[in-house]
Amino acid sequence: MTALLEVRGIACRYAQRAAVSDASFELQQGMLASLLGPSGCGKTTVLRAIAGFQPLTAGGIHLNGRRIAGVDRGLAPEHRRLSMVFQDHALFPHLTVEKNVAAGLHRKPAAEQRRLAHALLEKVGLTGLHRRYPHELSGGQQQRVALARALAPNPQLLLMDEPFSSLDPDLRDKLRQEVRALLKDIGATCLLVTHDQQDAFAFGERVGVMRDGRIEQWDTAYRIYHEPATRFVADFIGEGVFIDGVVAAADRIDTELAVLRGPVGHPPGARVKVLIRPDDIIHDDHSARTARIVKRAFRGENYLYTLTLPSGAEILSLVPSHHNHAVGENLGIVPAIDHLVIFAA
C-alpha cells in the first residue's frame, strides 16, 4: 500500500543544536499514529517540519506522493493540505464557536460556511453551542472546537500536538476515545505527538518512539511493549527492571529468578540482561519461591510491590490490592514470562 505520508531521513537544527537527526517513517491513508518520547527528543519538531513551520537541513517529506518539504525547497504551510490542532487550542477569543470553525472556510459562501460549521459541531458533540465564545466553554469543549476547525478544510492529514495534556484524567480518557472514534469514522489520517504513553497507545495504530532526534522504533503498541527494538525503548515504555542472565542454550537462559525458555538470539555462555515487567511476576501465597518486599505503592485496584531477590537484585510485581502485604514480608511469586526481551550485558 502506498503511504500517504513519507518522512525520509529528515534533520532539523535550532542554531547549533541538532533537534532531529535522520528520522524516517511512513503513515498509510486512514491510519492514526502517535509519536512518543520524552521532552526534548524532537517529536514536536518533526510535527512542525511536516506542517511547514520548521525548515529541513536534510531529507525530505512527501504527502500523497507530492514532495512538500526538502532542503532546497518546500511548499508553504497553507498549500500542504493539512491541519494542526495545537496544545493550547489556539482559538480566536473574539470569534464565536461557529466563526472559529469556519475560519478556514473563508473562500466559501457565507451560507456554506455556516452549514459546514454546524455539521462539524454536530459531529464533535457541540450542537447548539455555535453562538458561544471560547471563554464560555470548558477545556474539553474548546478542544472539540479546535478539532472541528482543523477538520473543516477537509485536510489530507491531521496533526495534533499534545491535544489532551491540559485535561483532567477522566475527561482526558473520555475525549481521547471520542476523538479516536470520530477520526476512524470519517477515515481521517492523523499523527499525534505526545509524551504520555497512555495517549500514544490508546490512540495510535502505529507508535513511534523517539530519542535524541531519532525514531528508535515505529511499530504497533503491542510490539513496542512486548518486543522493544532497543534498550532505550525497553526502559522508556511501561515499567520493568533488568536482571542478569547467562545463555545456556538456544532456547534457555539461566537467571537467579528462574530458568527462562524461549528464542534467545545470543550464543551459549553470553551474559545478558533480561527485562522483567510487573505483570511477569504473579503473586502466589503457596509458591515455594519468595522475594522480600522492600517498597509498595498503592494504586487503588492493585499494589506495585518492589521485591528483592537473595542477591539484592530488584524486581516488580503488580498484585490485586486485597492482597495487602507489608514491607519486610516475603511474597510468594511465580514467574510467568511469555515474551523474552533480552539485550547484551
Side-chain angles (χ1 to χ4, degrees):
M1 185 186 300
T2 302
L4 175 76
L5 175 69
E6 297 175 81
V7 176
R8 291 282 175 244
I10 68 168
C12 304
R13 299 187 70 85
Y14 295 120
Q16 300 304 311
R17 182 177 68 86
V20 176
S21 306
D22 195 24
S24 300
F25 62 93
E26 292 184 352
L27 189 55
Q28 309 299 325
Q29 176 75 47
M31 183 174 287
L32 308 181
S34 305
L35 205 52
L36 171 68
S39 297
C41 71
K43 56 188 184 295
T44 296
T45 302
V46 170
L47 209 69
R48 288 173 53 81
I50 296 168
F53 304 144
Q54 176 67 39
L56 302 183
T57 57
I61 301 172
H62 289 74
L63 184 63
N64 203 20
R66 184 185 189 190
R67 185 179 178 89
I68 61 171
V71 177
D72 53 341
R73 62 186 178 86
L75 289 179
E78 63 268 24
H79 298 312
R80 296 194 179 195
R81 287 207 58 199
L82 49 79
S83 291
M84 192 161 178
V85 176
F86 297 92
Q87 183 175 354
D88 61 358
H89 315 319
L91 299 177
F92 300 113
H94 63 293
L95 297 182
T96 64
V97 166
E98 178 187 300
K99 290 185 177 179
N100 262 283
V101 175
L105 302 172
H106 57 277
R107 295 184 180 179
K108 295 183 179 293
E112 181 68 0
Q113 291 183 34
R114 286 193 297 272
R115 186 189 69 79
L116 289 172
H118 282 252
L120 283 164
L121 288 171
E122 182 180 358
K123 276 188 178 295
V124 299
L126 294 178
T127 301
L129 301 184
H130 57 285
R131 290 193 178 91
R132 292 193 186 180
Y133 287 85
H135 71 273
E136 299 176 305
L137 303 177
S138 68
Q141 289 171 330
Q142 290 180 23
Q143 188 61 273
R144 293 167 198 257
V145 175
L147 177 61
R149 184 180 63 184
L151 294 174
N154 192 28
Q156 290 184 330
L157 176 66
L158 178 65
L159 305 174
M160 304 180 76
D161 186 11
E162 300 276 8
F164 312 117
S165 62
S166 63
L167 305 175
D168 65 73
D170 288 342
L171 178 58
R172 182 179 188 137
D173 290 345
K174 182 175 184 292
L175 189 59
R176 183 176 61 209
Q177 293 172 17
E178 290 177 354
V179 169
R180 190 186 194 282
L182 170 64
L183 295 179
K184 289 305 292 181
D185 184 56
I186 66 177
T189 308
C190 179
L191 178 64
L192 174 144
V193 158
T194 182
H195 68 276
D196 186 275
Q197 294 182 28
Q198 290 188 359
D199 282 352
F201 283 4
F203 184 86
E205 298 165 274
R206 287 292 183 276
V207 177
V209 180
M210 283 197 72
R211 176 197 186 195
D212 295 336
R214 299 177 185 272
I215 295 178
E216 298 236 335
Q217 188 169 354
W218 180 266
D219 217 325
T220 63
Y222 182 90
R223 285 174 58 88
I224 282 175
Y225 184 85
H226 289 293
E227 301 172 34
T230 68
R231 176 74 181 262
F232 170 79
V233 174
D235 277 327
F236 182 71
I237 297 298
E239 296 173 300
V241 296
F242 284 90
I243 63 172
D244 294 325
V246 177
V247 178
D251 63 348
R252 174 183 158 188
I253 298 176
D254 293 341
T255 74
E256 178 186 12
L257 178 64
V259 173
L260 306 178
R261 294 194 177 274
V264 174
H266 294 267
R271 296 189 174 276
V272 294
K273 295 286 188 179
V274 184
L275 177 64
I276 307 295
R277 296 205 185 273
D279 50 324
D280 292 329
I281 305 299
I282 307 301
H283 168 49
D284 183 352
D285 285 326
H286 304 292
S287 175
R289 183 183 284 113
T290 64
R292 186 168 59 88
I293 300 171
V294 292
K295 284 190 252 180
R296 65 177 193 166
F298 183 65
R299 297 187 171 185
E301 68 273 17
N302 51 52
Y303 277 105
L304 179 66
Y305 288 108
T306 302
L307 312 171
T308 56
L309 301 174
S311 69
E314 291 188 346
I315 57 175
L316 303 174
S317 181
L318 203 58
V319 178
S321 61
H322 59 271
H323 293 279
N324 185 8
H325 296 272
V327 171
E329 285 186 34
N330 286 327
L331 192 73
I333 58 172
V334 176
I337 302 167
D338 295 328
H339 297 85
L340 283 183
V341 177
I342 308 161
F343 296 95

